[in-house]
Amino acid sequence: MKEYKTALVTGASRGIGKAIALKLAEQVGTLFIVCSRSIDSLKDAADEIRTKTKVIPLICDVSDSAAVTQLFDMIDRETNGYGLDILVNNAGISCTKLLSDTRDKDWRRVIDTNLSSVFYCCRAAQGAMIRRQSGRILNVSSMWGQVGASMEVAYSASKGGVDAFTKSLAKELAPSNIQVNALSPGVTDTEMNDHLTDEEKAALAEEIPSGRFADTEEAAGMAVGILTAPDYLTGQIIRMDGGMI
Ligand code: NAD
């Protein structure tokens, strides 16, 4: 018997989201996994997860409010109105540009994908959680949301927004026994960092006291640890950055 009936992980076709989904599968009866486009990678992830639990892979651009409404209609139907026990807002994109080169559409894409998506998904998920007086929400933020990164103003602003959103919503939902926290990873070894050359990666690793990037297993372990922590843990931004900050 699994501990939780249902969970959704966004951005689960690869990287941190896929690792979280794989780890959560051990404790969740039905797992919804979502990404925006990469249906083949999502199906591959689903094949791995299926060895552990029931999985439903769905394409959804979580930066699109209407698409998120459709996604939650589908979750409602699939769960006979039960909704989600666990929501993991992990989908995100980076944008490495000087502010002077950042166009309106870059700004909107990053804010919509990294921050508005969290708003759309939390708003859609909370009704069923409030009805059941139980639920867990984990937002995947970034250490740059706390300290800011040069040439990543839009990204840092979006993650700072996720942190503030998390703290506010935690206060709103704590009386309904719904915990809302954020995992704020440091540099993690995923395709998101593939724009860096090997030399740039080595230089960045040297700046990290632990001397290396985190791996996705570590991020997933921390995510599931937060999701299964005592109910009194809420409104926290939990940074795991190899001692960088
Ligand atoms: P990744 O690029 O490997 O994977 C991102 C996932 O998000 C993919 O599955 C992609 O399809 C999905 N996605 C992107 N836009 C989407 C959209 N509009 N709708 C639905 N899905 C969408 O990235 P990652 O490194 O695994 O990052 C996961 C999360 O962790 C992100 O929120 C990222 O900001 C955060 N993070 C990453 C690092 C890092 O160094 N890799 C550090 C701190 C925080």
Side-chain angles (χ1 to χ4, degrees):
M1 180 72 179
K2 308 257 176 159
E3 198 170 336
Y4 300 98
K5 282 191 178 155
T6 57
L8 164 65
V9 182
T10 68
S13 63
R14 64 185 205 186
I16 295 171
K18 179 180 171 184
I20 293 174
L22 272 164
K23 209 159 192 64
L24 260 187
E26 292 157 17
Q27 303 189 32
V28 172
T30 302
L31 192 52
F32 297 89
I33 59 169
V34 159
C35 79
S36 51
R37 276 195 304 263
S38 324
I39 185 67
D40 290 342
S41 310
L42 193 71
K43 280 185 179 159
D44 289 346
D47 287 342
E48 282 184 59
I49 293 166
R50 202 165 284 119
T51 62
K52 300 179 176 193
T53 199
K54 180 180 172 189
V55 58
I56 302 181
L58 298 164
I59 290 293
C60 173
D61 176 355
V62 291
S63 71
D64 177 343
S65 179
V68 171
T69 301
Q70 280 181 5
L71 169 67
F72 277 83
D73 285 348
M74 161 85 83
I75 290 171
D76 201 46
R77 282 197 299 278
E78 285 286 338
T79 63
N80 296 319
Y82 181 87
L84 297 175
D85 288 315
I86 292 176
L87 165 64
V88 180
N89 289 306
N90 163 81
I93 54 169
S94 61
C95 175
T96 309
K97 283 182 179 182
L98 288 170
L99 185 66
S100 51
D101 295 331
T102 303
R103 293 165 298 172
D104 289 3
K105 74 171 191 189
D106 298 323
W107 174 265
R108 272 193 228 104
R109 205 169 143 252
V110 171
I111 298 294
D112 286 350
T113 306
N114 296 358
L115 178 57
S116 303
S117 65
V118 176
F119 160 55
Y120 301 143
C121 290
C122 288
R123 186 178 57 179
Q126 67 167 14
M129 291 180 175
I130 292 169
R131 265 199 311 281
R132 293 196 317 273
Q133 294 286 288
S134 163
R136 299 236 161 183
I137 296 173
L138 180 71
N139 299 323
V140 179
S141 185
S142 162
M143 67 173 173
W144 303 125
Q146 292 179 35
V147 293
S150 172
M151 293 188 65
E152 294 198 67
V153 170
Y155 182 78
S156 302
S158 72
K159 295 299 189 177
V162 168
D163 291 353
F165 182 102
T166 300
K167 288 186 267 189
S168 301
L169 188 63
K171 289 196 167 90
E172 202 169 305
L173 294 183
S176 301
N177 188 34
I178 298 163
Q179 291 75 40
V180 188
N181 292 292
L183 169 62
S184 184
V187 188
T188 308
D189 190 14
T190 70
E191 290 174 57
M192 184 174 267
N193 294 312
D194 275 359
H195 63 283
L196 299 171
T197 64
D198 287 348
E199 291 71 32
E200 286 168 336
K201 284 185 183 175
L204 187 51
E206 260 182 41
E207 285 179 42
I208 302 169
S210 294
R212 61 176 179 83
F213 293 5
D215 66 39
T216 55
E217 278 287 301
E218 289 173 308
M222 194 69 226
V224 174
I226 297 167
L227 284 166
T228 55
D231 289 350
Y232 212 59
L233 184 84
T234 195
Q236 303 307 305
I237 315 302
I238 295 155
R239 206 174 62 232
M240 189 173 80
D241 64 2
M244 192 160 176
I245 295 170

